[in-house]
């Protein structure tokens, strides 16, 4: 299942679902796209947001000194969380918890160079009661221009 | 990227992202899981719901004579649409349209046999303005016990 | 199950759940409270809103010439619809339909006379697929000062 | 106001609104339905969820060792909370509090035996400012297959 | 930019956007309308609600002993917060913070005297990451009969 | 009430609230900011979206051939509609209608040149029943990087 130059969202999800992402990472480098991945488990939504923002800044996906880049990332994260939570963007306050992998990708998936960079945030993992095994899978994807 | 017996959501998504799903379908058959896939493009949310329901019934994923099976499927579809729409479950009424592939999977991803069957609805495609190319990718996943 | 002078919401619901509401109506009259009931079935949310507004005006529950009374009733209806729809206030657009009884009550359920009149809108019936029998019960209650 | 074999939601609500529920409980036993009731007051949504889950497990309404039963109950609770909160499933975070009675019912309200068990969660009480008397009634009902 | 007797919402917003509101306050007094303004910065939604409620009571905009007045104000505040948060009424739980000015106005903006008093809550300021300068403007307006 | 170089949102709103916007437009031109205004009345949300998109393209606020510009504008519009609708982004489907003025502004309100252009969409007008005079004011503001 190869990555595609015109599918930033699909690429972001395959990074999470692959058993071995080294091939994907090599291809992303060739495309000159930036990417990072990480994991976060929490009952606090803000900790999920913070984990992704921190990883994206530390890995140079976004410029931490320019607000427009943080703004683009933030909205992509919240959109991805909508897919994870499916209704209200709440975890512990409605007694549920998540264990998630995340990926952040940056590149231009369009043919037109004027489209510039876009950012994709993908989330995959489990959501459920704070009881081991009482959980099911969940996925989310947010895409924004940057 | 092989399917996993304990990952009904991941399997449902890989069915959509694979260039060739024949290997996946063979494995699902071996697991004795039911599945179907299809495509739908629309500005009407209810047409997306109807397309998935019709495919699931026609392919024997759910028993069309038992309400509890339709009820389980319906909520899984709406949850998947939350990931697609990220905010309000509306398409044409807020001037946007989708082109989606969908998969419906049924099986028991848990070790405990008492968990019975679960259903996963995955959606992947594009969302955007009703103008060719003015769109980006979107994904959604809904999982329910059946 | 008698009505209570201090429970406008409970009274509004009992009007819908009683097999015979004549006793309840007699008691409401004694309290000097205004009330009406009706039925509406639709896939259009706006038809549910319109049916309740029309009944409330025709039966003198609200003064049709004063906007503040319509405003109070409208928000009580929308709040009741939140209980009916549990997520997005949408019916046909997400392929579901309702068959509802409704009641509108007006009176002061508080001891303090300064609290003035309040309005309660109760809804009870079924929600589900547009297929006979593929539906379950649903209830909603909205309360507002008027 | 007698219970009805085909109205699991109505029954769940009447359990809360009755001054004396002994007659209702006798009839439920005769129907071979399981039920429990309780009370919870809180500014934290998760405490409302936890109180209902604990009561349902302790009273044998659901099997605490099977996730599908917890999953069915959880979604019924959240749906009922939508009726209580009418907009965002938030209490203390938007400076309001609830005092609620709850009932959980389990049985098959359909004629077709294949429909199996369904679960209803009903909530009735008050919502308002954290000031005595500055509150009005609120109701919620969630129904799910189990 | 003068205030208008029939524009309670516009007036409430101009109070926030004016460099010098003394002229506006004089005109409001002449109209016999009540008003107050204040500031609040927080990551907790409930602190925003509380700051506005406290100011409105302390300045005699609403009668603190009558629930209907608190109820009217509360819903106007929550509606205004919808404009501020645009999606979920959450701040710190999704890792964002606000710095807001607020105004509360009370008067009858309609020609018909029977319309009685209405209340407007306006909010204007910034929303963003808890990092100085990483924020943009936001506005909200809630209007209710009282 | 003069416009401010660092307040794109405030400027967008003042354009709508001013009796005479010629002074504002002169100042915007001096700042080298782009702007347009217009009016739209409808029960259909998608007509509001379309009216603003059309005006922004026709007046050269956004480049109609680049998707990222349409994408930025679209999300700013939907965010502004959240302030207008305060709950669900629905008009006619919940039996209400709007009469709105709108403004679209484009410029860099930040000191750092790297922040590039931002877009603000402001909406001001009335929302209410489809009955003349049965309406109150409403406002919305959406801001996005472009």
């Amino acid at each position: 299942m190869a990555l595609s130059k015109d599918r930033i969202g699909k690429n972001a999800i395959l990074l999470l679902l692959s058993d071995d992402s080294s091939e994907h990472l090599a291809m992303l480098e060739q495309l000159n796209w930036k990417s990072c991945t990480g994991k976060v488990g929490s009952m606090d939504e803000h900790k999920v947001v913070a984990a992704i923002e921190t990883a994206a800044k530390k890995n140079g996906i976004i410029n931490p000194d320019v607000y427009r880049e943080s703004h683009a990332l933030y909205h992509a994260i919240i959109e991805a969380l909508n897919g994870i939570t499916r209704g209200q963007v709440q975890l512990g306050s409605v007694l549920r918890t998540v264990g998630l992998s995340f990926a952040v990708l940056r590149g231009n998936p369009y043919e037109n160079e004027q489209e510039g960079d876009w950012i994709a945030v993908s989330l995959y993992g489990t959501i459920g009661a704070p009881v081991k095994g009482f959980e099911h899978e969940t996925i989310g994807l947010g895409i924004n221009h940057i």
Side-chain angles (χ1 to χ4, degrees), chain A:
Chain A
M1 222 174 291
L3 302 196
S4 337
K5 199 211 151 316
D6 57 347
R7 297 288 172 90
I8 192 172
K10 182 180 170 182
N11 295 351
I13 289 163
L14 287 181
L15 274 180
L16 299 182
L17 301 185
S18 299
D19 306 312
D20 173 12
S21 60
S22 58
E23 192 187 339
H24 292 325
L25 293 171
M27 187 182 161
L28 287 173
E29 206 163 316
Q30 205 180 317
L31 282 175
N32 217 11
W33 284 19
K34 290 170 183 163
S35 72
C36 73
T37 58
K39 279 180 193 297
V40 58
S42 184
M43 293 189 81
D44 290 318
E45 307 91 85
H46 65 85
K47 286 189 187 156
V48 178
V49 178
I52 302 171
E53 288 186 346
T54 302
K57 287 176 185 172
K58 230 168 83 178
N59 289 281
I61 314 298
I62 66 166
N63 180 343
D65 299 327
V66 181
Y67 175 44
R68 68 182 289 120
E69 302 220 340
S70 288
H71 187 254
L73 174 62
Y74 180 77
H75 282 275
I77 295 171
I78 297 297
E79 294 200 2
L81 278 174
N82 268 282
I84 294 298
T85 54
R86 293 146 294 125
Q88 43 282 334
V89 186
Q90 296 174 252
L91 299 175
S93 65
V94 288
L95 203 57
R96 57 182 179 175
T97 188
V98 289
L100 296 171
S101 300
F102 62 82
V104 186
L105 238 74
R106 180 181 182 153
N108 179 356
Y110 297 95
E111 296 213 357
N112 187 344
E113 269 188 35
Q114 282 185 285
E115 294 297 352
D117 274 359
W118 289 67
I119 197 158
V121 172
S122 60
L123 303 170
Y124 169 74
T126 55
I127 192 166
V131 176
K132 200 178 143 45
F134 275 42
E135 64 211 6
H136 59 65
E137 292 159 276
T138 183
I139 200 161
L141 175 65
I143 292 183
N144 208 354
H145 63 283
I146 196 166

